[in-house]
Structure formats: C-alpha cells, structure tokens
Amino acid sequence: MITTTGNNFGAGQFEIKDFQNDKIVVLNGKFSFNNKSEAFKAASVLEVYVPELSIPKSGMSGAYIMFESEGKFYGTTVKTWLKNQTTICIEKLDHWSDQTDEYTIYLVSLYAPKGQRGVFELGAKTRLTLNNTTSTNNYAYNQACYVSDDWCMIALMTGSYDTEIKPYDEIVELGGFPTDVDVELPFVGDNINSIQTYGTDMLKASIKNGILTIHSVIFGWGGMPRDHFLYGVFIRDKQ
C-alpha cells in the first residue's frame, strides 16, 4: 500500500494499493477532490506524489474520471502515466464544472516502462463463467480475463443493460475469477449524446470475493446504453 506524499490539485493525502516489480507497476485506488479549488484550477496536469516506484517512467495507461449530477453518474476515461519514480500523472479534464463540485478518479491501471525493449510473454486466457443471480435481461457477450499470481485483468462487454424496470443492484458471480480481489471501479456506458451534460453514463461497481456488484441508481438507465463495459487491472490481496 502506498501513502501519497502530496499532489498539486488539493486532494489531500490518500492511499493507493500497489504491485511493483522491474517490469510493471499496477495501481488500484480512488480519490475525490473539489474542482473549484485554486490548486486544481492552476494545474495543467494532475500530479500525485508518492514514495519511490520500481520503474523510472512509463508509457500511457488509462484511468476513469466520474462525477455525480442529479442523482446519476457520468464521466469518461483519462490518460495516466508515471512521469518519474515519485510522480503519477493524470490527464486534467474540467468539462463539467457547471454540473458538479467534485470529481472522483479511479485507478485500476497497469504501467509498463517507457524506452525499454524486451520479449513479450504470452499469458494464458482465463475463461469466466458468469452467473447473473439477479436478472435474466443483462448479460455479457464478450469477455477477456488474465490471471497471474499477483494481479489480474478483466474486460466485460454487454449488449444491453436495464436498471429502470427492476432498480436493484446487479449481482454477477464470476466463476474462475480470483476471490482475493477487492476493488471499486465504474461500469461504463456508450451514451455520448446526453442533453444535460458531457461524458458518458456510468454506474458504480465493485468486485469482492469473486462477486461483481453493479450498483443501481434511483432513475436507472431504462435499457440504455448498449455495449457498455467494465475493464480494469486489479491487484490480488494475497495473505
């Protein structure tokens, strides 16, 4: 676990779960901050300062930014990279300052070294068995999963999603997925044509003990959007 030593956008101190070696850095965590602060306004790139990391700098990876407006969640993906061994950089976006006073960043990210050559190692794909225990309407039609001793990756995409008719949390048993993962991340939709705001629809999700929970909202999505997805790289909490 990393405890941050500071940042340039007024977020205060927070913790980030980490796995590190000389080939990769995996970071899991979330933090929120006020987008009206003078520190955030002055920053051109969001910088999080941490103790020394295992690789000197990295190529681009991805993270999520989310905000709440009128009881629903919206957001998008943002770029993230390791500037040096003590600085995590995150792309700054501020398109929604009239919609919210708070942004939340989710890191479920893998960073690979920049400026190095090596041999790619092909990993074996893990096939998941998905048992949706709360709905027969929502299903995943495309999936990818990789599991190593210390970290794992999951990508799920579904053809439809409906929370309005039956507004309860969606519970999906992930057969074949490690039970030692405990993480929060967004469930991302494909609606980019919202009248009220920028960004795409999101729901809060979590994975714990091999169970995926997609948390419903009051109004629901009513069958939209289509082709929404869940993707992240997660650290295994090995005892």
Side-chain angles (χ1 to χ4, degrees):
M1 186 74 74
I2 293 174
T3 300
T4 62
T5 58
N7 59 77
N8 70 340
F9 52 97
Q13 192 176 57
F14 51 90
E15 293 185 332
I16 303 173
K17 193 181 301 183
D18 68 302
F19 169 75
Q20 304 184 48
N21 58 29
D22 60 348
K23 295 181 179 180
I24 62 169
V25 170
V26 180
L27 301 178
N28 288 174
K30 73 170 186 175
F31 53 90
S32 299
F33 56 92
N34 190 305
N35 66 344
K36 303 298 193 297
S37 72
E38 294 303 317
F40 175 74
K41 292 178 181 178
S44 57
V45 173
L46 307 186
E47 294 187 348
V48 178
Y49 309 121
V50 297
E52 188 174 14
L53 300 170
S54 62
I55 60 178
K57 58 182 178 179
S58 79
M60 290 293 179
S61 186
Y64 300 100
I65 184 170
M66 176 189 284
F67 68 96
E68 183 177 357
S69 178
E70 298 182 354
K72 294 185 179 183
F73 298 101
Y74 304 92
T76 189
T77 56
V78 290
K79 299 175 184 176
T80 177
W81 65 98
L82 305 183
K83 178 181 178 180
N84 52 47
Q85 288 186 280
T86 59
T87 307
I88 305 165
C89 289
I90 302 168
E91 177 185 11
K92 178 184 176 180
L93 292 182
D94 191 26
H95 299 303
W96 317 290
S97 59
D98 59 339
Q99 300 283 331
T100 185
D101 292 333
E102 183 177 86
Y103 294 141
T104 299
I105 299 287
Y106 290 83
L107 294 174
V108 281
S109 313
L110 184 150
Y111 301 86
K114 186 176 183 179
Q116 296 185 17
R117 293 173 179 262
V119 177
F120 285 100
E121 300 176 5
L122 184 63
K125 181 178 179 180
T126 296
R127 184 68 182 176
L128 300 179
T129 302
L130 306 179
N131 178 24
N132 190 325
T133 62
T134 52
S135 173
T136 58
N137 297 324
N138 303 326
Y139 61 94
Y141 70 81
N142 204 355
Q143 62 168 279
C145 179
Y146 171 76
V147 178
S148 75
D149 290 339
D150 301 294
W151 59 275
C152 55
M153 180 278 292
I154 189 173
L156 297 176
M157 180 178 288
T158 72
S160 64
Y161 197 84
D162 193 333
T163 63
E164 189 170 26
I165 299 174
K166 298 177 180 179
Y168 44 64
D169 289 352
E170 195 85 6
I171 306 298
V172 182
E173 297 175 352
L174 302 175
F177 194 75
T179 58
D180 53 7
V181 169
D182 186 354
V183 68
E184 298 178 50
L185 74 163
F187 186 64
V188 184
D190 70 349
N191 180 13
I192 59 172
N193 298 309
S194 175
I195 297 175
Q196 293 184 334
T197 186
Y198 298 96
T200 189
D201 300 291
M202 289 182 167
L203 291 176
K204 291 184 176 181
S206 59
I207 299 175
K208 186 174 183 179
N209 297 325
I211 303 294
L212 166 63
T213 302
I214 302 170
H215 302 283
S216 183
V217 292
I218 296 173
F219 301 105
W221 279 350
M224 289 292 290
R226 300 182 304 273
D227 296 331
H228 53 284
F229 69 90
L230 181 136
Y231 171 81
V233 181
F234 313 128
I235 296 164
R236 301 183 63 181
D237 297 323
K238 303 179 71 174
Q239 300 298 321

